[in-house]
Amino acid sequence: MFSFAFLSRMVERMVSLSVGILLSTSLLHALPEAFESGADTHALFATLLGGLLGFFLLEKFAILRHSHHHEGDGHGHEHGHDKHEAGRSGWMILVGDGLHNFTDGILIAAAFLANPNLGIITALAIVAHEIPQEIGDFIVLLNAGFSRVRAYAYNLICSLMAVVGGIVGYLMLDRASGWIPYVLVFASSGFIYIAVSDLMPQMQRRATVRETIPQVLLVTVGVCVVLFLTGRMHLH
């Protein structure tokens, strides 16, 4: 439905907005919610550390994130290199994306079970990150030889894994509420890792004042959106 030029511009803008939403959701809302739950503080910090290291290892094995291989995302990769990587990793991308979305569903369920307001904010943070990721995935699948219809269909199936994860998370965590603070901390470690390790380095590659000003404004907008929503929810 959209031209690739438009998609590329959307990805660039959404990356900056995602940084603000991901960091503010994790640092200003999810982590405080988890640490105020009464769970063991040392265990929660250990979960945060384990989550950060775990996401690092998952990235090393190319299971969780692959946005740095997205051709056509405006980040100036070598054309041949991305084409080669996409051809080898098209199916791996689908498997990794399905697992990622399944996990996102569990995290959203945990957030809603902890606090419905937190659930809304967490879902918003995940959506903000998923839009640019799914656009990039679609472009990579096209480069890997998928037709537009097949690429869209497989992307849709992978996205629906979030619904499955949400149902599984609700059924499991509703009976084991003591795990919810740890799931929230694990989710926060993922948000922080994605923002600091992946998205912010992409933004740093655009170093001119003309490119930096919109980035800063969009990060600020992301933070303000979370603060506005959490402020209104606390009032209610």
Side-chain angles (χ1 to χ4, degrees):
M1 293 174 63
F2 301 103
S3 69
F4 285 125
F6 176 78
L7 292 179
S8 295
R9 288 195 297 271
M10 180 184 287
V11 169
E12 294 171 18
R13 297 293 179 256
M14 286 299 296
V15 163
S16 301
L17 183 65
S18 295
V19 167
I21 292 178
L22 290 171
L23 289 179
S24 54
T25 298
S26 56
L27 296 173
L28 301 180
H29 210 60
L31 286 176
E33 183 82 23
F35 280 92
E36 291 170 2
S37 67
D40 182 70
T41 302
H42 290 86
L44 291 175
F45 272 113
T47 302
L48 182 62
L49 174 61
L52 291 171
L53 295 177
F55 280 101
F56 169 74
L57 292 174
L58 284 173
E59 184 183 20
K60 278 291 185 183
F61 289 103
I63 294 176
L64 181 59
R65 291 185 300 109
H66 37 265
S67 58
H68 51 295
H69 291 314
H70 291 168
E71 185 175 353
D73 60 1
H75 298 152
H77 302 305
E78 294 180 20
H79 188 88
H81 172 73
D82 275 346
K83 190 93 170 182
H84 175 68
E85 289 292 333
R88 291 197 315 166
S89 61
W91 287 103
M92 181 181 289
I93 282 171
L94 288 172
V95 172
D97 200 30
L99 292 172
H100 186 181
N101 291 332
F102 180 79
T103 303
D104 284 343
I106 294 176
L107 300 180
I108 291 173
F112 270 104
L113 288 170
N115 183 333
N117 297 338
L118 178 60
I120 294 173
I121 301 298
T122 301
L124 175 66
I126 289 175
V127 167
H129 172 61
E130 284 299 316
I131 289 176
Q133 177 177 305
E134 295 299 336
I135 292 172
D137 289 347
F138 182 73
I139 295 172
V140 170
L141 291 176
L142 292 180
N143 289 337
F146 289 72
S147 67
R148 291 195 179 204
V149 173
R150 285 183 69 208
Y152 178 79
Y154 283 124
N155 241 0
L156 179 62
I157 292 171
C158 287
S159 297
L160 290 175
M161 290 300 295
V163 179
V164 177
I167 295 172
V168 171
Y170 176 79
L171 295 176
M172 290 176 53
L173 296 172
D174 191 37
R175 301 171 184 175
S177 58
W179 286 97
I180 292 176
Y182 299 96
V183 176
L184 292 179
V185 171
F186 183 79
S188 297
S189 71
F191 287 176
I192 294 169
Y193 184 84
I194 289 169
V196 175
S197 173
D198 186 10
L199 303 183
M200 293 178 84
Q202 291 179 27
M203 294 167 62
Q204 293 287 36
R205 298 190 192 112
R206 303 178 175 276
T208 66
V209 174
R210 184 177 180 181
E211 294 168 324
T212 300
I213 292 175
Q215 289 178 345
V216 173
L217 289 175
L218 285 167
V219 171
T220 304
V221 167
V223 174
C224 289
V225 165
V226 173
L227 290 175
F228 174 75
L229 289 175
T230 54
R232 285 186 62 85
M233 289 169 182
H234 286 150
L235 288 176
H236 292 294

